[in-house]
Amino acid sequence: MVESYKNKVIIAGCGPGLKAYISPKALYNIKKADILLGSRRLLKLFPNINAKKIIIEKNYKIMVDRIARWRSSMQVVVLVSGDPCFFSYAKMIVKKIGRESCIIIPGISSMQLAFAAIGECWDNASFISLHGRNTGYERLIRKVRDTCMVGILTDNKNTPAVIARWLLERGIHDRRMFVCESLSLPEERVREMDLTSAVNIKTNGASVVIIKK
Ligand SMILES: C[S@@+](CC[C@H](N)C(=O)[O-])C[C@H]1O[C@@H](n2cnc3c(N)ncnc32)[C@H](O)[C@@H]1O
């Protein structure tokens, strides 16, 4: 398998956290990187890769311009968590350099793993990300009213407890909440409760919430 992606940026989905969830195709291409970019956590998964490593955090807007410049002379590989086509940095890169200049290697999304963990199908679900957002709650309410299952990406402000409080304040009571935390990692925890109990729930790691009618 020799793959040559001249002038293209490879965006590799790295799954929910456990290295075993990264596909062989992503691993093969990550090994060919001249420049490897990603969060501190993702870069730590590849201590033996002989590439220049660049941490992406608050510098993500500047890095998109650099990625666009570097791609003509070096193999740039960007690591993203979960699946690149599900609420990720890939969108910004594709917008900047065009989809014909990107090779996107899918990954297992935290959302997929959350549905697997609770044994439910996600073919009729709807999704929303509250990760890093100050808005979205009105949309969330609409989705919860209209769909049987809603998968939500959270963060440390938009926590499962905050989400539960919001739903109750809008008169939504008759739902189950699943809180799927640190999926695939040793500290993984999956809990099910009603919304009233969820108001007091504490989480430590990244979590996906699923609301079920
Ligand atoms: C920027 S979004 C990236 C989503 C990613 N593209 C995906 O497909 O999973 C980050 C959010 O994904 C969720 N997440 C990522 N890894 C997770 C994990 N191991 N366990 C639970 N949730 C996770 C959390 O809601 C976190 O705030």
Side-chain angles (χ1 to χ4, degrees):
M1 177 171 59
V2 177
E3 293 169 1
S4 168
Y5 295 135
K6 226 166 174 273
N7 286 334
K8 300 208 183 210
V9 171
I10 296 172
I11 307 172
C14 293
L18 183 71
K19 202 167 172 182
Y21 276 117
I22 305 179
S23 72
K25 181 161 174 106
L27 290 172
Y28 173 82
N29 282 285
I30 289 165
K31 284 189 194 133
K32 293 194 315 186
D34 297 312
I35 303 192
L36 190 62
L37 301 98
S39 67
R40 202 179 292 272
R41 178 181 71 76
L42 289 178
L43 288 171
K44 268 198 194 147
L45 293 174
F46 304 101
N48 300 321
I49 300 285
N50 195 15
K52 183 175 166 60
K53 293 185 185 151
I54 297 177
I55 298 168
I56 300 180
E57 33 192 24
K58 288 190 176 138
N59 58 351
Y60 67 96
K61 283 189 186 145
I62 301 170
M63 292 322 299
V64 138
D65 293 329
R66 298 205 180 145
I67 288 167
R69 265 191 277 124
W70 290 333
R71 83 186 153 95
S72 56
S73 53
M74 284 172 285
Q75 182 61 70
V76 180
V77 178
V78 183
L79 308 174
V80 301
S81 82
D83 181 65
C85 295
F86 191 71
F87 297 108
S88 98
Y89 190 43
K91 197 177 201 169
M92 205 181 254
I93 300 173
V94 172
K95 191 170 174 206
K96 175 81 190 172
I97 65 175
R99 71 170 162 228
E100 62 294 342
S101 301
C102 296
I103 302 291
I104 299 183
I105 303 175
I108 305 226
S109 172
S110 57
M111 194 57 78
Q112 272 174 284
L113 210 54
F115 274 86
I118 68 164
E120 295 278 357
C121 293
W122 62 327
D123 38 17
N124 280 320
S126 62
F127 306 100
I128 188 164
S129 176
L130 299 175
H131 179 94
R133 288 160 211 241
N134 300 320
T135 57
Y137 277 89
E138 293 306 333
R139 238 160 30 94
L140 169 65
I141 299 293
R142 280 200 297 280
K143 282 179 190 273
V144 170
R145 287 206 171 111
D146 293 349
T147 355
C148 288
M149 293 274 199
V150 183
I152 310 165
L153 297 179
T154 71
D155 66 13
N156 53 15
K157 284 202 184 92
N158 301 301
T159 61
V162 169
I163 293 166
R165 202 168 308 125
W166 240 86
L167 295 176
L168 289 170
E169 282 169 6
R170 294 295 177 286
I172 297 171
H173 296 269
D174 54 341
R175 298 290 190 283
R176 301 296 291 169
M177 179 186 264
F178 296 87
V179 179
C180 309
E181 188 180 348
S182 301
L183 292 164
S184 82
L185 302 173
E187 58 277 20
E188 173 176 304
R189 201 155 48 146
V190 177
R191 289 172 283 175
E192 179 188 352
M193 67 212 78
D194 59 26
L195 293 180
T196 310
S197 316
V199 164
N200 297 314
I201 194 176
K202 301 242 181 316
T203 46
N204 293 318
S207 61
V208 168
V209 160
I210 297 171
I211 306 289
K212 184 180 177 190
K213 205 176 246 177

